[in-house]
Amino acid sequence: MKKEQVVNCQFSVWYPIFKKHSIKSLILPLPQNVIDYLLDDGTLVVSGSDHNTQQTHANNSDSDAEEDIQAPEFPEFTSKVQEAINALGGRVFPKLNWSAPRDANWIALNSSLQCDSLRDIFLLFKSSDFITHDLAQPFLACSDQDSPDPVINYELVLRKWSELIPGGEFRCFVKENKLIAISQRDYTQYYQHVWKQEEQICHAIQGFFSQHIQYNFLDEDFVFDVYRDSQGRVWLIDVNPFGEVTDSLLFSWEELTGGGGIAQHGFYPYVQEGPAFRCTTSEVTVQPSPCLSYRIPRDFVDLSTGEDAYKLIDFLKLVRWCYKTFVI
Ligand SMILES: Nc1ncnc2c1ncn2[C@@H]1O[C@H](COP(=O)(O)OP(=O)(O)O)[C@@H](O)[C@H]1O
Ligand SMILES: [Mg+2]
C-alpha cells in the first residue's frame, strides 16, 4: 500500500465523487490549535461547552492538588461545529479524514458515537487510539516509507446520524477495478436473513458497484463499505485503502492479494465469475466484538455510564494526582 492510496481514501477526496450515494455530511477544516488539543495527552478536561466546563472546575476548585488545567476554548470553531450539527438535524456521527472513534464508544453516555455537541465529539476523539493514529501516523503501514509524507489538511467530518442495522453492512474489496470479494461487516454476529438472502445481496452490491463506483475512484485497488437498507437500496458508507490497515474481515489479505482465486466460504476453492461472498453462517462461529479489547475495566465502564460521564474524567484526574503525589 502506497502513501498515495491512503491520501485518496480521505473523506474529502471520495465524498464529493460519491455524494449522491452516501449519507449527507459536512466537512470542517480542523484548526491547528484544535489538533494540538486533541494530541495533548495531559489535558483531560473536555472543552466545548461553557456551563459544563465550569461545573467541572467547580468540582475541582476546592482541591489544591489539581493544577490549574483550563479547558481550552475554541469559540469560533465551536459555533461552526454547532451550526453544522444543526444543519444535519441535531445528531451527528463524527470522524476525521479516515477514522471514526469506534474504539472509544464505551466512554460516551449512551455507548454510541452519536453526538450533539463539540463537547461530545472531543470526549470521543480524546479517548480514541484510532483518532490519534489518523493525527499522528496515518502513513505508518505504507510500503513507500522513503518518499516524503504527503501534506494532510485535517478535517472534522460530521455525518447525519443514521440508525444503521449492523446486519445490513458489507465490506467490498476492489482489485484492478474488479469487485473480487464481499464480506459481512459485523462478522461477530450471525444474521439469518443475510445468510438466506446471500444472492440478492450480492446482486444488489454488484449492481451498485458497476453503476456508480467502478472506474469513478482515483485508485484501481480499494475497499468500500456499503449499507443495504430495508428497501434494498445500497448506500456508500466509507472508502478504505486496499491493504493491511483495512480489516479484511472474513477474508485474509493473502487471499485477497494472491492470484489463486478466493474460496467461497473457505470450504471448496474454485474460481468463479462474480465476487466471493462471505457471511457468518451459524451461531457457533460468533466471535467477540473486535473493539472489546479497547475497552477498559468494568468499574470504569460503570463509572462512565452513571449520570455523568465527566465523573470518569474527574476520577482519572484524581488517579493522576495520586500517582504524582505518592509515586513520584
Ligand atoms: N452516519 C452514521 N450514523 C450512524 N452510524 C454510522 C454512520 N456512519 C457510519 N456509522 C457506523 O459506524 C461504523 C464505522 O464507520 P466508518 O465511517 O466506516 O468509520 P471507520 O472507517 O473508522 O470504521 C459503520 O460501520 C457504521 O456502523
Ligand atoms: Mg473506514
Side-chain angles (χ1 to χ4, degrees), residues 95 98-100 102 171 185 223 225 237-241 246:
K95 60 188 293 187
W98 298 278
S99 305
R102 281 185 298 121
R171 174 158 285 180
R185 185 149 183 202
V223 178
D225 297 322
I237 301 296
D238 198 15
V239 178
N240 313 279
T246 301

Side-chain angles (χ1 to χ4, degrees), residues 16 36 39 73-74 78 80 95-96 133 141 167 226 259 316 320:
D36 295 342
L39 281 170
E73 296 292 336
F74 312 100
T78 307
K80 276 189 190 149
K95 60 188 293 187
L96 284 191
H133 174 272
V226 293
L316 290 171
R320 195 171 58 133

Side-chain angles (χ1 to χ4, degrees), residues 104-114 124 295 301 304-305:
N105 66 353
W106 54 266
I107 205 168
L109 284 181
N110 46 3
S111 289
S112 129
L113 298 186
Q114 184 182 301
L124 288 167
R295 293 194 184 164
V301 178
S304 77
T305 51

Side-chain angles (χ1 to χ4, degrees), residues 161-228:
W161 181 262
S162 319
E163 290 298 338
L164 305 179
I165 303 157
E169 294 189 73
F170 300 90
R171 174 158 285 180
C172 311
F173 300 86
V174 179
K175 193 172 150 194
E176 293 164 10
N177 272 320
K178 272 203 212 65
L179 179 58
I180 57 166
I182 302 171
S183 169
Q184 176 181 323
R185 185 149 183 202
D186 175 20
Y187 62 88
T188 62
Q189 297 299 314
Y190 166 56
Y191 298 101
Q192 202 184 28
H193 62 279
V194 173
W195 173 228
K196 282 195 174 148
Q197 295 179 23
E198 173 174 329
E199 241 170 76
Q200 287 108 297
I201 295 170
C202 212
H203 192 252
I205 294 176
Q206 264 182 289
F208 177 77
F209 172 70
S210 58
Q211 276 179 46
H212 307 300
I213 309 290
Q214 196 172 26
Y215 309 118
N216 289 334
F217 189 55
L218 303 173
D219 214 304
E220 55 170 23
D221 299 337
F222 58 99
V223 178
F224 67 99
D225 297 322
V226 293
Y227 181 66
R228 187 168 168 267

Side-chain angles (χ1 to χ4, degrees), residues 240-257:
N240 313 279
F242 188 90
E244 302 268 345
V245 276
T246 301
D247 192 338
S248 55
L249 305 180
L250 292 169
F251 295 91
S252 72
W253 276 110
E254 291 91 83
E255 281 177 292
L256 295 165
T257 51

